[in-house]
Amino acid sequence: MTSGPIKRREPFHPHIPGRYLLLLVTAVCVGMILTTYFTDILDGPLSGFANYVIVPFQDGVSKAGEWLIEREQLVSDIKTLQEENKALKAENEELSVTNNALQQEKHELTELRKLYQLDQTYADFPKTGCRVIAKENGSWYHSFAIDKGTADGLALDMNVLADGGLVGRITYIGKHWSRVQSIIDDNSNVSATVLSTQDNLIVSGSLTLYADGTISFSELSDPDGKVNVGDSVVTSNISDKYLPGILIGYISEIRTDPNNLTRSGRITPAVDFARLDTVLVIQELKQTTDDESGENGN
């Protein structure tokens, strides 16, 4: 005879579903009630036993039945709440998606309204709207790409607008895309005019200065000192790249140069170069003669 490991039997734990247990308890309870109703057990010699045993047992059975009923109702309520919670989560997700879509549509509508107002401000020029599709590394849009090119009627040096003012000009172009150099770029110089006095100056881009929200200007001839902080600065007639009269920004600081003949300072651009989603491109080039010079190669 071979010997082997003795397997221990696991204790048997019968599992009775709650509904069957409730049925059994109910049957016992009903039996007790019928017994007391149709017999005189409580009035006979066993009345003492019934009073001390059967009646408390009936009370216990009744309470147990009530507890099971409440338990079954609680389980049902929990399942109902879980289903309602699942439905509410699905509804919340749907509302969240809808809300995001509405926010996007609101943003696009705001941008379109700005472009429309800008179009009305410079109504004399033919224009087309473009979306910004890429930008150079950094916090600001000093150089970025738009989604239209030569196939859409664009050309090099066309002026770009946004937020009521000058953004820059197209410096590279493809069939379906263009790259824009903005006026805050370090290599940008724009011939400009103080609108109130018609004095000329040069506006120069500076990413360092734009950390404070400004760019610089120089070579302002203002012998009478009439130019003040807050004056508007626009593109000048002598610019060889930019159409005249486009708002650049507002003078925020003025100082007299060491030669006591010219003044320089800072300008706050009209455009927010931290956020650019859509722009307008003026589909018209500045007509110049060979002896005009405003921007040194820009």
Side-chain angles (χ1 to χ4, degrees), residues 71-81:
R71 185 72 177 176
E72 192 78 16
Q73 184 62 43
L74 178 61
V75 171
S76 177
D77 291 343
I78 290 175
K79 289 182 178 179
T80 301
L81 288 174

Side-chain angles (χ1 to χ4, degrees), residues 3 21 50 78 118-119 129 131 146 183 186 190 214 222 260 287:
S3 61
L21 181 60
I78 290 175
L118 189 59
D119 180 65
R131 289 186 178 276
I146 54 178
I183 60 172
D186 291 332
V190 183
T214 63
D222 181 28
N260 291 321
Q287 300 299 319

Side-chain angles (χ1 to χ4, degrees), residues 236-254:
S236 72
N237 291 321
I238 63 173
S239 172
D240 64 345
K241 302 293 184 184
Y242 292 98
L243 297 163
I246 302 175
L247 179 64
I248 297 174
Y250 308 93
I251 293 178
S252 57
E253 178 185 314
I254 304 175

